[in-house]
Amino acid sequence: MVFLKNYNLLLITISINILSFGCKKSIVDDGIKIGGCTDIDSPIFDSTADYDNASCLYAYINQYEISYYPEENPNATWPFTSWDITGTGADADLYLRIIESDSTNYFFSSPIIDNQSPNSPCFWTSSSNEKLYNKKYHWEVYDRDTGPLDNDFIDSGSFNPIANGLNGKITTFGKHPPENRTQLVLHFEILP
C-alpha cells in the first residue's frame, strides 16, 4: 500500500513537471549582443545598444553666429527706437552669452562686435571647443554700448543641442514675435 501511494505521488510529480514545462515559453539566448553608443549626451546615442562599444562621438561648438536681430528695439518707445544713438544710423554693438540651464556660470561670453548690421551674420569663434550635453541651454544677446545705461537687452532663447542639432548646426530663435526674432546659430563638429 505504501508502494502504491509513493507510486501515485511520483506520477503526480512527473505530471506536474511535464505540464509546467509545456506551459513555459522557451527562451533561446543566441548570445548576440548589440554594441553602440550608450551615452545620452552623444548625438549618436543608440537606445537599442546592449553595451557601450566606445563608438560615442560628441558635439563641440567651434563658432557662434547671430544671423539676424531686430533692426529696431522692440522694447523701446518712439522716437528712441534705434539700438544706438538715435539719428546716427548706428547699429547694435552685439554681446552674446550662453549658459547651461542648471549652472550659474556662463560658458560663453563674447567679445563685443561694434555697430553690427541686423541683417548681416555676426560670428564669434569658440576658444575652447565647448562640449555640448543633452540638456537645456539658455542664451541672451545685448546691445552693449560704452555708456553705463546703454546696455539694451535684445533677445533670448533656449535649446537642447541633441534635439536641435542638424548637419553641424543648431539653429534657435529668440522669444520676440516672428518678425523680430533674433536667430542664433551654433556651428559644431562631431569628435570623439
Side-chain angles (χ1 to χ4, degrees), residues 12 17 22 26 31 33-34 43-44 47 66 83 86 94 103-104 108 117 133 135 143 145 154-155 180 192:
I12 292 171
N17 285 336
S26 177
K33 301 287 184 193
I34 299 170
I44 62 166
S47 63
I66 294 291
W83 292 108
T86 302
L94 292 186
S103 176
T104 57
F108 180 74
S117 171
Y133 298 93
K135 58 176 62 175
D143 171 26
D145 298 321
I154 294 177
D155 212 343
N180 278 322

Side-chain angles (χ1 to χ4, degrees), residues 23-189:
C23 292
K24 282 188 179 178
K25 190 174 187 179
S26 177
I27 298 173
V28 177
D29 183 6
D30 56 12
I32 298 175
K33 301 287 184 193
I34 299 170
C37 177
T38 61
D39 186 349
I40 62 168
D41 288 323
S42 173
I44 62 166
F45 167 69
D46 183 355
S47 63
T48 65
D50 296 315
Y51 69 94
D52 196 304
N53 65 359
S55 65
C56 290
L57 300 172
Y58 298 94
Y60 292 88
I61 300 172
N62 55 27
Q63 192 173 57
Y64 304 86
E65 172 190 349
I66 294 291
S67 53
Y68 170 80
Y69 72 91
E71 191 166 354
E72 292 186 342
N73 185 344
N75 302 316
T77 56
W78 190 86
F80 305 104
T81 57
S82 74
W83 292 108
D84 278 341
I85 302 166
T86 302
T88 64
D91 292 315
D93 302 325
L94 292 186
Y95 170 70
L96 171 68
R97 60 188 193 168
I98 303 175
I99 190 171
E100 291 179 24
S101 289
D102 58 354
S103 176
T104 57
N105 298 318
Y106 287 87
F107 73 81
F108 180 74
S109 293
S110 75
I112 297 168
I113 297 184
D114 293 329
N115 203 27
Q116 176 64 40
S117 171
N119 296 308
S120 297
C122 176
F123 296 96
W124 295 274
T125 301
S126 173
S127 60
S128 63
N129 267 358
E130 185 66 36
K131 181 179 178 181
L132 294 169
Y133 298 93
N134 189 11
K135 58 176 62 175
K136 190 173 183 182
Y137 290 80
H138 181 75
W139 60 270
E140 301 166 346
V141 66
Y142 295 86
D143 171 26
R144 199 72 174 267
D145 298 321
T146 55
L149 301 176
D150 293 330
N151 295 317
D152 298 315
F153 170 77
I154 294 177
D155 212 343
S156 67
S158 57
F159 63 93
N160 178 312
I162 304 303
N164 301 116
L166 182 64
N167 297 327
K169 291 182 182 179
I170 299 161
T171 302
T172 178
F173 297 93
K175 296 177 181 173
H176 288 306
E179 65 276 3
N180 278 322
R181 292 188 309 176
T182 302
Q183 180 174 308
L184 169 66
V185 179
L186 291 90
H187 300 267
F188 65 88
E189 56 187 334

